[in-house]
Amino acid sequence: MIDDRLAACIDLARQPGTTDEHRQLRDAIRRFVDREIAPHVDAWDEAGEFPRELHRKAAAIGLLGLGYPEAVGGTPCDTLSRIVATIELARAGSGGLIAGLMTHTIMLGPLLEAGAPALVERIVPAILRGEAIGALAVTEPSGGSDVAQLHTRARAGADGWRLHGSKTFITSGMRADHYLVAARTSGHGAEGISLFLVDRDTPGFSRTPLRKTGWWCSDTAQLHFDDCAVARDRLVGPLDAGFPLVMATCAARAWSASTAK
């Protein structure tokens, strides 16, 4: 748990230009951290996981939906509100918990930006209610997070798409319900990257847990796609247009990570 004196030094809700709404958000998340996270976070790190129920509890105070449209069950907010929320979560002293609890924030952007309305309606509200968990699957064993060098492939077939390849270091990789997977559909480099939404029980899809030196309670896994069948309506966005969607998410993730440090 971060010392309260240190937390006070980075309490942005005290700064000029902030509003009562920012302070109310800070207080709500601070109570949540003090009650639901701080007393247990060391034990969760030792166990290598935290309870799935924490997602529902975070949703109940509006944390999971912060910054998302009301139409999908979210609560629109400004950038400062997001920073305030991240700082308060960081008070628990566990980067792994933040990564695992907020894993949807690196997955939902492309889905909301480019996904078919029916797919968005079916998937996003349940995630923001804490009833389902979403994960982004980009990083690969061969090239890390170099999106332009992806080797996982998706081949078109009569019944949709067939995925072949693997991903690694995927946050929430073992227990996510929905995975936004980047795969090559044509070409080389940045061209020919497409996004697919894959459910955890899809035939040909399996997962292997990874042991780590840090972020212990963050569920991290390697994903395996062995002729994994994906329906045509699970293509997210236009064909071969996934690269800019992933890069926008990477930029947002880098900003969020720097805020939490």
Side-chain angles (χ1 to χ4, degrees):
M1 185 74 176
I2 294 178
D3 186 275
D4 286 341
R5 291 171 296 179
L6 175 59
C9 293
I10 53 175
D11 186 355
L12 296 186
R14 296 184 177 185
Q15 302 303 312
T18 58
T19 66
D20 287 341
E21 289 185 355
H22 293 121
R23 286 180 280 276
Q24 290 168 3
L25 174 65
R26 175 202 61 194
D27 293 344
I29 299 178
R30 184 169 295 184
R31 288 192 299 269
F32 175 73
V33 169
D34 289 344
R35 181 179 66 251
E36 303 291 350
I37 298 179
H40 314 292
V41 70
D42 290 341
W44 292 342
D45 264 334
E46 292 297 328
E49 63 180 359
F50 60 87
R52 189 182 179 97
E53 180 63 20
L54 191 65
H55 287 269
R56 291 180 181 268
K57 292 180 177 179
I61 67 164
L63 177 58
L64 299 192
L66 197 63
Y68 292 101
E70 291 183 4
V72 293
T75 303
C77 70
D78 59 10
T79 299
L80 181 56
S81 294
R82 296 185 181 187
I83 297 175
V84 167
T86 301
I87 289 175
E88 289 304 316
L89 284 174
R91 291 178 64 249
S94 175
L97 183 130
I98 297 176
L101 183 61
M102 306 301 289
T103 185
H104 66 290
T105 63
I106 62 171
M107 177 261 196
L108 290 185
L111 183 56
L112 287 168
E113 175 73 19
L119 191 59
V120 169
E121 184 178 354
R122 186 159 69 246
I123 302 298
V124 177
I127 291 177
L128 297 186
R129 291 193 301 266
E131 298 169 0
I133 297 174
L136 177 69
V138 174
T139 304
E140 297 188 348
S142 59
S145 296
D146 186 347
V147 183
Q149 301 303 319
L150 290 183
H151 285 228
T152 296
R153 288 194 170 272
R155 303 185 186 280
D159 56 348
W161 298 88
R162 296 280 173 165
L163 269 60
H164 298 263
S166 61
K167 303 290 183 179
T168 195
F169 302 129
I170 304 306
T171 303
S172 294
M174 292 301 298
R175 61 180 182 172
D177 301 286
H178 310 290
Y179 300 76
L180 188 63
V181 181
R184 184 167 300 284
T185 43
S186 69
H188 301 280
E191 299 179 356
I193 303 297
S194 300
L195 298 179
F196 300 88
L197 191 68
V198 180
D199 294 338
R200 65 175 291 111
D201 57 355
T202 302
F205 177 40
S206 60
R207 301 161 294 283
T208 304
L210 295 176
R211 298 183 64 184
K212 311 179 297 298
T213 57
W215 278 22
W216 290 349
C217 71
S218 172
D219 157 30
T220 309
Q222 187 161 1
L223 313 183
H224 313 278
F225 303 94
D226 183 12
D227 200 30
C228 176
V230 180
R232 289 190 180 279
D233 64 358
R234 289 305 183 96
L235 174 67
V236 175
L239 186 65
D240 297 338
F243 183 82
L245 293 170
V246 172
M247 294 310 296
T249 293
C250 289
R253 176 170 57 179
W255 171 84
S256 179
S258 66
T259 303
K261 290 182 178 178

